[in-house]
């Protein structure tokens, strides 16, 4: 069990505190691996949905008149779900991590989860290190594949081709 009160740290030596951090890190890695296993199971569930509606979504995302359009359930990247996760983890936090830090941590966790489910290629107007590359990193994290393109036409062409 992770101790959450800083008062539990009073009187501990530096070595004791580092040992405690090592224990917490071990727990975090175990939990991250459990999350990865669940993410893989979600990916398998998405790929096994084979009814005629692009994976069996609850609402027709292609119908703009639908009152509650839902993304297809087999989409790997679902921005609305991402927003739900970010909002949830931020609301759960009552500790010292600010919301921006939690969001950055979860951006990378979710990026890793997405890349476990499928190889995702994100193209951007290159080269590496440009503002568009930075935007791609901020939106999709570092675990997906980032590919620089020579022109905006090439970026749109790769999106249109699904590459």
């Amino acid at each position: 069990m992770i101790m959450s009160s800083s008062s539990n740290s009073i009187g501990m030596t530096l070595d004791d505190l580092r040992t405690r951090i090592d224990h917490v890190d071990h727990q975090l890695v175990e939990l991250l691996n459990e999350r990865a296993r669940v993410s893989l199971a979600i990916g398998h569930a998405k790929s096994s949905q084979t009814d005629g509606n692009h994976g069996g979504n609850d609402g027709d995302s292609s119908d703009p008149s639908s009152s509650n359009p839902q993304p297809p359930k087999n989409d790997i990247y679902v921005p609305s779900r991402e927003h739900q996760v970010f909002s949830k983890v931020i609301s759960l936090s009552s500790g010292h991590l600010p919301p921006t830090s939690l969001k950055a941590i979860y951006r990378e966790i979710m990026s890793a989860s997405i890349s476990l489910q499928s190889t995702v290629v994100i193209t951007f107007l290159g080269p590496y290190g440009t503002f568009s590359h930075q935007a791609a990193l901020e939106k999709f994290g570092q675990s997906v594949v980032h590919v620089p393109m020579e022109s905006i036409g090439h970026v749109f062409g790769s999106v249109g081709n699904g590459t």
Side-chain angles (χ1 to χ4, degrees), residues 62-134:
S62 64
D63 180 3
S65 66
S66 174
S67 62
N68 188 18
Q70 298 291 318
K73 286 186 179 179
N74 63 352
D75 281 358
I76 298 300
Y77 176 70
V78 182
S80 60
R81 175 62 181 147
E82 177 182 88
H83 180 72
Q84 288 174 341
V85 171
F86 288 152
S87 295
K88 176 81 169 192
V89 297
I90 289 168
S91 72
L92 290 172
S93 178
S94 60
H96 298 290
L97 286 175
T100 54
S101 295
L102 283 170
K103 188 173 180 181
I105 291 165
Y106 267 80
R107 155 56 40 238
E108 291 307 319
I109 290 171
M110 292 175 66
S111 178
S113 293
I114 289 168
S115 69
L116 286 172
Q117 292 180 22
S118 178
T119 300
V120 175
V121 177
I122 304 299
T123 59
F124 61 92
L125 184 59
Y128 292 106
T130 59
F131 288 122
S132 58
H133 179 227
Q134 184 62 35

